[in-house]
């Protein structure tokens, strides 16, 4: 990576700016109030809920990274499936990839992060206004995801216009290890009937260090603009238009000698109509979005891979009161998306249609199938695909007094999947004698159901349980991919005959308030999959890993098997106030296990871990020290690399400087103070991409 | 007012930190042909002939009046001859007349249009050629006559290999063209009278024989005690349905693979092995790097193998 600004320069700019700002504001200093709740993400409301919402400012205070996974990894049962610092898809209660939904508002995020571990999530978490984790019956409104849905909400998802006048929320920081830093600016101007928002985000980091050594290809760059225009059409109708553009470029710290990197682009345009009520239906949100996602995969500067997905979505959702004690949420969505994949050495700057001659289709592939029993291909790994999906979801809530709430939710997805192999080299087409209907259209339906029961046993004790039968349609990649994947250095063998992923999921959450200052939270989950779709190393009859004949890379087959994932999360929280000092101690424990019905474990399950956090607030100074213990990987899958345990000690402090009409915060975060070598077991790159070593980040936030 | 100042300062800072932009575009050329190669493409129909240097990515018209290698108005066949000499392998390009039967192995100066090679001038590789007339026994030096003799011996050896491959092909397949990777190195060792250890001997035995059949299939054979044996699944070249000897050319790229040019598809293929099986590693459309309208029928080329060519995928 060619770096054009030095860390020193960046720091000097930031420090100068802070000094200028401070001097300008000095005469407006006021003593602030003790505000514990505003700082802490461990201090969730003392209740259990299917939906938990966080302001991104709050999450940003705690995160040690910039990915969505980093932002949420403090939450009970949440981890980040990192693939270097640029990539971190959240895993929730052991669910990864397609089993965790990521939505912008209600629309499934148009990216390919669920497809492969090296693909970054197509958004920068900092750009959202709020991030919401939805699970149980409530999550079925947005799709059928065993791990629930993570919703990022922007200004366009707010039914109201921003507060009148000009407002600005900005944050600038720099990191001692990677240099450069992050800039986030959220500006808004609103009148009575109109508003305009413009958000800007930029993050740039050079390679980080671990164990005193620079980890190559861990650099990352991301830039995003997000603009929203609002128009209050009437007292009950508000229209929001939005446009978003994101560029991201990051190294992939894999084993290849030459540099592997990914260049990602995304544009989104949409319109949201918020209607407070239309007749008897309330909170109507209707949204149309068009988005275009592209990323290039390069090795040694050659364009070896290209992915493009265009998506259109039209959705509407609303609330309806069925009876005095019964509410319903309804959502309907149509999604159309077209996915194109190019994977050929040096030829993927653009998509091309393959040459067609009189030669027999799939001849080379057939030869491999005949010789080795596997239809190996060295062409483009999958055909162009087009999906048309219709999603209908209903969540009915029935209240029994103030102590019980019953939920019944369903999600029905009908999908037509079409494959067009015009991009595939004819010699690598699926031969008709191997699979005669490989490229034929497919129509399928997935139905998911969930029932939930919330009960307040007393003022001190609440529980919430949900039982769900989930069906997930396999993705086009899981069905069609047959070929090498450069970034992961593996040969992925999809399965055209995959059946729907089905599972019965039980989630139980409870909170017990011992006193106003002390509470305990418990999460139990047990997911029983009849057909758990995952990638596992292919082995021969002797148990030896199968390598592909072209690159001698491990072959990972996508298969559906019986499996169980279960776990337990415990959070203990204790608050103590001593005069002007407020202390909060939080302890989290996470245990989970993933087992295959046939014996053995599911790969990349999070090791047992515990986090202890002590927060201290005094006047306008907030500090916290967090220690996370991660056990060595104990339940590893066959042929999976195990990882050692590690300790992560972080410290952060923040000074809140109240202004007449705003605030200025100065903060410092010191991560991995012991400079421990931390290998993330749930990452595919656990060996080559450890978590960052010791670093210090300083920054300031200014708001008015 | 102060808020505006602060906002301005913040935006200024953001813009300053925003300088530099995305700077990871350390890209190679769009063509990205193997480095260090000089390729000669010849169209037997139009007699057009271009030389292409993969380092400079520039085509050069070779039909320059007065040059020995000017093929204007002539037809011919290109042959790469890696002549084994005392100091190693001397790469030569031989343009013979179209009517010359390469199985004959009895080339005379009348069959020869030119014999070319590269020599360095001011650290630049310059193509130079001797005309066929220079090899007329009436005027030729002993060295030149020796070269003709050595070339004919080379052709005879090639014919022996050809017969061996023909016998090894599956029934119904007819050999169209072939290349033996590492053959010259093996010859060089033999000429130098070097002792062979067992490993070297096995390597020489395993020298991949890359065979193209008239049906457009690529077969890979390895030499074993019992003769040639097919070592992997056969594959085809994208866009090629048939092979004609003078319309598909194969040259060595490096120790691991060959470059194949097919007139039918007008594509250049890199077939190599960096794991186990040979496969088409890269494909280039000829019209992306050759002059518009030029549709060669054959090619040849010389140059160092890319020792640093990474085969990690």
């Amino acid at each position: 990576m060619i770096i054009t600004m030095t860390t020193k320069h960046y720091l000097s700019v930031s420090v100068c700016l802070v000094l200028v700002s401070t001097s300008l504001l000095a005469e407006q200093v006021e003593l602030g109030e003790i505000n514990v709740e505003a700082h802490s993400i461990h201090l969730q409301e003392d209740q259990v809920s299917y939906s938990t919402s966080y302001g991104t400012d709050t999450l940003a205070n705690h995160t040690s990274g910039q990915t969505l996974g980093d932002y949420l990894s403090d939450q009970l049962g949440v981890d980040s499936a990192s693939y270097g610092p640029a990539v971190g898809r959240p895993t929730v209660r052991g669910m990864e990839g397609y089993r965790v939904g990521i939505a912008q508002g209600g629309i499934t995020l148009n990216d390919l992060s669920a497809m492969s571990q090296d693909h970054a999530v197509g958004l920068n978490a900092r750009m959202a206004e709020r991030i919401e984790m939805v699970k149980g019956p409530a999550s079925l409104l947005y799709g059928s995801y065993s791990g629930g849905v993570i919703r990022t909400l922007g200004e366009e998802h707010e039914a109201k216009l921003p507060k009148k006048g000009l407002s600005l929320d900005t944050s600038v920081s720099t990191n001692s290890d990677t240099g450069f830093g992050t800039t986030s600016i959220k500006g808004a101007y609103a009148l009575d009937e109109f508003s305009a928002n413009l958000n800007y985000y930029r993050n740039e980091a050079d390679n980080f260090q671990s164990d005193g050594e620079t980890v190559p290809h861990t650099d990352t760059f991301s830039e995003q603009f997000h603009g929203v225009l609002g128009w209050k059409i009437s007292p009950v109708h508000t229209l929001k238009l939005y446009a978003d553009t994101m560029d991201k470029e990051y190294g992939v710290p894999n084993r290849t000698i030459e540099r592997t990197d990914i260049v990602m682009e995304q544009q989104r345009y949409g319109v949201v109509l918020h209607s407070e009520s239309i007749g008897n239906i309330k909170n109507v949100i209707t949204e149309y979005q068009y988005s275009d996602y592209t990323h290039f995969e390069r090795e040694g500067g050659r364009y070896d891979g290209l992915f493009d997905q265009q998506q259109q979505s039209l959705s509407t959702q609303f609330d309806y009161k069925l009876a005095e004690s019964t509410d319903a949420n309804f959502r309907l969505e149509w999604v159309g998306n077209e996915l194109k994949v190019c994977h050929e050495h040096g030829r993927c700057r653009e998509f091309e249609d393959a040459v067609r001659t009189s030669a027999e289709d799939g001849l080379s592939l057939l030869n491999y199938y005949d010789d080795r029993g596997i239809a190996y291909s060295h062409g483009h790994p999958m055909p162009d695909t087009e999906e048309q999906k219709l999603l209908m979801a209903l969540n009915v809530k029935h209240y029994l007094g103030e102590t019980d709430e019953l939920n019944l939710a369903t999600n029905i997805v009908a999908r037509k999947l079409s494959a067009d192999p015009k991009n595939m080299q004819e010699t690598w087409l699926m031969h008709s004698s191997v699979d005669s209907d490989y490229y034929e259209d497919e129509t399928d339906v997935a139905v998911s159901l969930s029932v939930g029961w919330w009960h307040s046993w007393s003022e001190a004790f609440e529980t919430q349980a949900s039982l769900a039968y989930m069906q997930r349609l396999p993705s086009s990649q899981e069905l069609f991919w047959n070929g090498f994947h450069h970034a992961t250095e593996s040969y992925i063998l999809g399965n055209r005959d995959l059946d729907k992923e089905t599972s019965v999921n039980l989630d139980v959450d409870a909170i017990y308030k011992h006193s106003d200052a002390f509470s305990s939270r418990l999460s139990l989950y047990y997911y029983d999959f009849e057909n758990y779709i995952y990638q596992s190393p292919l082995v021969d009859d002797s148990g030896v890993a199968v390598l592909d004949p072209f690159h001698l890379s491990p072959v990972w087959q996508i298969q559906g098997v019986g499996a169980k994932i279960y776990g337990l999360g415990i959070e203990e929280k204790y608050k103590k106030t001593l005069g002007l000092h407020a202390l909060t101690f939080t302890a989290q424990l996470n245990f989970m296990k993933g087992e295959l019905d046939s014996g053995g474990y599911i790969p990349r399950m999070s090791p047992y871990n515990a986090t202890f956090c002590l927060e201290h607030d005094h006047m306008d100074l907030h500090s916290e020290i967090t220690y996370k213990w991660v056990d060595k990987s104990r339940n590893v899958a066959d042929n999976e690399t195990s990882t050692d345990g590690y300790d992560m000690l972080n410290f952060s402090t923040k000074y809140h400087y109240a202004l007449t009409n705003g605030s200025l915060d100065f903060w410092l975060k010191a991560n991995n103070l012991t400079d421990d070598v931390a290998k993330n077991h749930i990452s595919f790159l656990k060996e080559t991409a450890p978590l960052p070593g010791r670093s210090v980040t300083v920054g300031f936030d200014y708001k008015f | 007012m102060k808020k505006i100042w602060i906002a301005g300062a913040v935006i200024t800072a953001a813009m300053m930190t925003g300088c530099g932009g995305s700077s990871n575009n350390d890209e190679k050329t769009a063509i990205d042909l193997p480095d260090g190669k000089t390729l000669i493409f010849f169209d037997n129909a139009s007699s057009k002939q271009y030389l292409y240097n993969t380092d400079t990515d520039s085509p050069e018209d070779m039909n320059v009046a007065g040059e020995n290698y000017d093929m204007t108005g002539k037809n011919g066949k290109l042959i790469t001859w890696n002549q084994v000499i005392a100091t190693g392998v001397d790469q030569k390009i031989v343009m013979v007349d179209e009517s010359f039967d390469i199985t004959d192995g009895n080339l005379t100066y009348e069959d020869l249009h030119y014999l070319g090679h590269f020599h360095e001038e001011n650290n630049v590789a310059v193509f130079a050629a001797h005309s066929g007339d220079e090899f007329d026994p009436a005027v030729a030096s002993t060295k030149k006559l020796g070269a003709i003799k050595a070339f004919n011996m080379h052709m005879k050896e090639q014919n022996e290999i050809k017969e061996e491959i023909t016998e090894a092909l599956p029934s119904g397949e007819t050999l169209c063209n072939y290349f033996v990777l590492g053959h010259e190195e093996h010859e060089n060792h033999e000429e130098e009278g070097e002792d062979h250890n067992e490993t070297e001997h096995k390597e020489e035995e395993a020298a991949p024989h890359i065979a193209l059949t008239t049906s457009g299939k690529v077969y890979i054979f390895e030499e074993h005690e019992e003769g040639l044996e097919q070592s992997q699944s056969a594959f085809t070249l994208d866009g090629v349905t048939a092979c004609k000897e003078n319309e598909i050319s194969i040259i060595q790229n490096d120790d691991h693979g060959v470059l194949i040019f097919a007139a039918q598809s007008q594509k250049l293929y890199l077939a190599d092995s960096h794991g186990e099986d040979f496969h088409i590693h890269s494909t280039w459309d000829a019209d992306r790097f050759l002059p518009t309208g030029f549709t060669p029928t054959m090619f040849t080329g010389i140059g160092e193998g890319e020792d640093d060519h990474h085969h990690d995928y």
Side-chain angles (χ1 to χ4, degrees), chain B residues 102-247:
Chain B
I102 59 172
T103 61
D104 182 9
N106 191 20
L107 179 99
T108 69
Y109 79 97
E110 291 170 318
D111 301 315
L112 182 66
H113 287 303
Y114 66 78
L115 189 153
H117 63 99
F118 283 87
H119 62 268
E120 275 202 7
E121 283 181 14
N122 300 323
N123 293 325
V124 177
V126 177
F127 186 72
H130 301 283
S131 69
D133 294 341
E134 294 179 44
F135 295 87
D136 182 350
V139 297
S141 64
T142 311
K143 195 176 175 183
K144 282 197 172 67
L145 292 175
I148 291 288
K149 189 178 171 187
F151 178 74
N152 282 326
M153 282 181 64
H154 168 73
M155 296 307 293
K156 279 179 185 168
E157 285 171 11
Q158 291 293 308
N159 281 326
E160 287 169 14
I161 296 169
K162 185 177 180 180
E163 285 171 14
E164 194 181 7
I165 295 174
T166 302
E167 283 176 21
L169 283 173
S171 62
E173 292 286 19
T174 304
L175 184 63
C176 172
N177 209 336
Y178 67 95
F179 193 90
V180 183
L181 261 182
H183 177 67
E184 284 77 18
E185 285 78 357
H186 176 57
E187 277 187 5
N188 192 29
H189 286 304
E190 283 188 340
E191 290 211 350
E192 290 172 4
E194 288 181 3
D195 292 333
H196 300 269
N197 60 36
E198 195 175 334
T199 309
E200 286 170 336
H201 185 67
K202 279 184 181 168
E203 282 176 3
E204 287 157 9
E205 271 193 347
H209 291 51
I210 297 152
L212 265 152
T213 63
T214 51
S215 63
K217 295 192 190 73
V218 180
Y219 289 86
I220 312 294
F221 297 97
E222 286 181 359
E223 194 145 17
H224 295 273
E225 286 183 5
E226 302 78 22
L228 290 179
E229 287 181 13
Q230 191 176 336
S231 60
Q232 65 167 83
S233 303
F235 58 92
T236 60
L237 304 174
D238 192 30
V240 175
T241 54
C243 171
K244 293 180 187 171
E245 187 170 320
N246 293 334
E247 293 185 4

Side-chain angles (χ1 to χ4, degrees), chain A residues 1-2 4 10 17 27 170 202 219 249 257 298-299 302-303 345 347 357 364 367-368 371 378 427 549 551, chain B residues 2 6 9-10 13 16-18 20 22-24 27 32 233-234 236 241 277 279-281 283 285 312-313:
Chain A
M1 182 181 179
I2 300 166
T4 53
Y10 193 99
L17 190 58
E27 61 200 63
T170 184
R202 180 188 171 93
D219 54 282
E249 197 169 322
I257 298 166
R298 304 186 304 190
E299 190 164 308
R302 292 181 308 277
Y303 284 72
H345 304 292
R347 281 180 70 100
T357 67
S364 299
N367 286 337
Y368 272 99
D371 292 345
H378 195 270
T427 196
H551 315 93
Chain B
K2 281 177 182 168
I6 296 166
V10 167
M16 289 176 75
T17 62
S22 175
S23 53
N24 283 350
E27 298 173 6
D32 199 29
S233 303
T236 60
T241 54
D277 282 7
H279 59 276
I280 299 303
H281 182 104
T283 307
D285 294 321
D312 43 10
Y313 44 81

Side-chain angles (χ1 to χ4, degrees), chain A residues 77 91-96 99 525 532 565 592 604-605:
Chain A
T91 67
V92 181
R93 299 185 174 189
M95 302 294 110
E96 62 168 7
R99 283 175 280 276
Y525 49 94
Y532 181 79
I565 295 175
M592 75 170 66
R604 297 180 302 284
M605 284 286 125

